[in-house]
Amino acid sequence: MAAEQGSFRKASARLGVRESTISRQIRDLEDALGSSLFLRTRAGVALTQAGESFVQRARCALTQIDFAIRDVGAIGRGSRGVIRIGLFSSLATGFVASLIGQFMADHKEVQLEFLEGDHLELIPAVRRHQLDIAFMTEPHEIEDFSSIRLWTEQVYVVLSKADALASRSEIAWSDIRRRRFIVTEIAPGRDIEALLFRHLSSLGHRPDIQRNRVSRQTLMQLVACGQGITLASESITETPFAGVAYRRLVGCRLPFCGIWSDENDNPAFRRLLSMANLLSRVESNAVVRRPHTH
C-alpha cells in the first residue's frame, strides 16, 4: 500500500492505522532483510531496486497463498480433490458406471483414479490407504473395514450358441452340475470358482473346473468354441461376444459392496459414498430384470 500511495501517511489513512505503526513495521522488515526497501524523501517514499524486487515477489507469493486457501476450502467441501477407486474387473458397466457418471456430472473438478483387480489386490490397497474405496463382490469376512452392500447382480451361464442348453431361456444348477467350467486365473475367476463349489457341492458334485491364464475376451472365445461353459455377473453380459449366449441361472444373484477404511477423511470420497448409498436405495426400489437374448 505504501508503494502504491508513495506515502506512509496516505497508506495509513487508507488502511486505518497509525503512520508510525506502518513506518515501524517497514523498518523492522528492512532490518530483518538487511536491505532498504524504500527511499525516503520529504515528498514521500519510493521503492528502491531491492524494494521493487521484493514487492513483485511478495505479490506472487500472496497470489499463490490465495489460490492455496481457495483450493483447501474446495477440497474440504468435497468439491475438488482426488478419489482413488478400486474396481473388481467386471464392473465397467451397471451400478458403478451409473454412479461414476452421476458423480462426475455434479463434481467436475474432482479427479477420479482407478485400479482394477480382485480381492487379493484391492483389500490390501484399501488397508494401506492407496484406495479410498473398492467396489467388489461381497467378501465372506471383512475385518478392520467399513462396508455396505450396494447392489446385487443376476448370475448368468455363459455357453456356446451351439450348445443344446442355449435354446432355453433359463438354466438350473442341476442342468450344469456335470459340465466342465472354464475360468480365468485373474478376476473374477476366483469368485466364480467359489460360487461353483458352494452350489454344486450342495448337490453332491465336485465341479470340473479348468483354469486358464487368459483374458476375459479370450475366455469367451474358448466358450464360443465349445471348450466349456462359465458364469458371469449381469454387468459382464452387457458386452456381447460372437458365438456366445447368456442364459439366466435360476435363483442365483451375486452381492456387491463397497469397502473403505474408517480412518479415511477425504471429503470428496465421503460425497461419493453418500451418492452410492442413495443410488443403492433407488436401485433396490426398482427391481428390473431384463432378459438377455445374446
Side-chain angles (χ1 to χ4, degrees), residues 83-88 91 95-96 99 113 115 117-151 191 255-266 269-270 272-274 276-277:
I83 306 175
R84 297 156 300 176
I85 300 172
L87 290 177
F88 194 70
L91 304 183
F95 179 91
V96 173
L99 171 63
E113 297 179 355
L115 172 67
D118 58 16
H119 296 81
L120 297 180
E121 298 166 303
L122 299 181
I123 291 178
V126 173
R127 180 173 285 114
R128 293 192 297 266
H129 302 287
Q130 294 171 338
L131 291 175
D132 291 299
I133 189 169
F135 297 107
M136 61 176 66
T137 54
E138 193 169 76
H140 294 298
E141 296 181 4
I142 305 176
E143 297 181 357
D144 305 323
F145 293 109
S146 290
S147 67
I148 181 174
R149 179 180 290 189
L150 293 170
W151 78 101
D191 291 275
F256 287 82
C257 70
I259 67 167
W260 67 94
S261 169
D262 283 331
E263 300 174 355
N264 192 318
D265 59 356
N266 181 347
F269 153 67
R270 291 291 172 180
L272 177 71
L273 183 61
S274 296
N277 198 9

Side-chain angles (χ1 to χ4, degrees), residues 198-210:
R198 186 161 65 250
H199 285 273
L200 294 182
S201 295
S202 66
L203 297 177
H205 292 274
R206 180 179 179 82
D208 178 7
I209 300 175
Q210 177 182 317

Side-chain angles (χ1 to χ4, degrees), residues 154-157 165 168 170-179 181 191-205 207 209 229-232 247-254:
Q154 173 65 46
V155 176
Y156 287 80
V157 180
L165 289 177
R168 302 187 183 184
E170 57 183 26
I171 296 173
W173 281 107
S174 58
D175 297 323
I176 56 176
R177 65 184 185 274
R178 299 186 186 280
R179 300 293 296 269
F181 295 89
D191 291 275
I192 292 175
E193 285 193 46
L195 192 65
L196 289 169
F197 274 103
R198 186 161 65 250
H199 285 273
L200 294 182
S201 295
S202 66
L203 297 177
H205 292 274
I209 300 175
I229 66 174
T230 191
L231 301 181
R247 296 296 179 261
R248 182 173 175 270
L249 185 57
V250 178
C252 188
R253 295 189 68 84
L254 201 59

Side-chain angles (χ1 to χ4, degrees), residues 15-176:
L15 296 173
V17 297
R18 294 181 179 179
E19 181 180 350
S20 59
T21 300
I22 294 178
S23 180
R24 184 175 66 254
Q25 289 179 344
I26 291 177
R27 181 65 70 186
D28 291 342
L29 179 60
E30 290 175 327
D31 290 343
L33 295 174
S35 178
S36 295
L37 300 177
F38 285 94
L39 179 64
R40 295 161 175 83
T41 66
R42 290 182 179 180
V45 296
L47 288 171
T48 62
Q49 184 176 357
E52 290 178 353
S53 176
F54 178 82
V55 168
Q56 182 179 4
R57 293 179 180 274
R59 283 174 176 164
C60 291
L62 290 173
T63 299
Q64 292 301 315
I65 291 173
D66 183 55
F67 287 154
I69 292 172
R70 294 179 186 178
D71 283 346
V72 169
I75 292 171
R77 293 188 299 271
S79 59
R80 188 177 300 175
V82 177
I83 306 175
R84 297 156 300 176
I85 300 172
L87 290 177
F88 194 70
S89 65
S90 63
L91 304 183
T93 60
F95 179 91
V96 173
S98 297
L99 171 63
I100 291 172
Q102 291 184 31
F103 185 83
M104 291 307 299
D106 294 339
H107 304 82
K108 292 182 173 61
E109 294 191 15
V110 175
Q111 178 180 344
L112 301 183
E113 297 179 355
F114 299 95
L115 172 67
E116 187 177 84
D118 58 16
H119 296 81
L120 297 180
E121 298 166 303
L122 299 181
I123 291 178
V126 173
R127 180 173 285 114
R128 293 192 297 266
H129 302 287
Q130 294 171 338
L131 291 175
D132 291 299
I133 189 169
F135 297 107
M136 61 176 66
T137 54
E138 193 169 76
H140 294 298
E141 296 181 4
I142 305 176
E143 297 181 357
D144 305 323
F145 293 109
S146 290
S147 67
I148 181 174
R149 179 180 290 189
L150 293 170
W151 78 101
T152 63
E153 292 189 13
Q154 173 65 46
V155 176
Y156 287 80
V157 180
V158 187
L159 64 168
S160 168
K161 286 186 175 180
D163 194 296
L165 289 177
S167 62
R168 302 187 183 184
S169 60
E170 57 183 26
I171 296 173
W173 281 107
S174 58
D175 297 323
I176 56 176

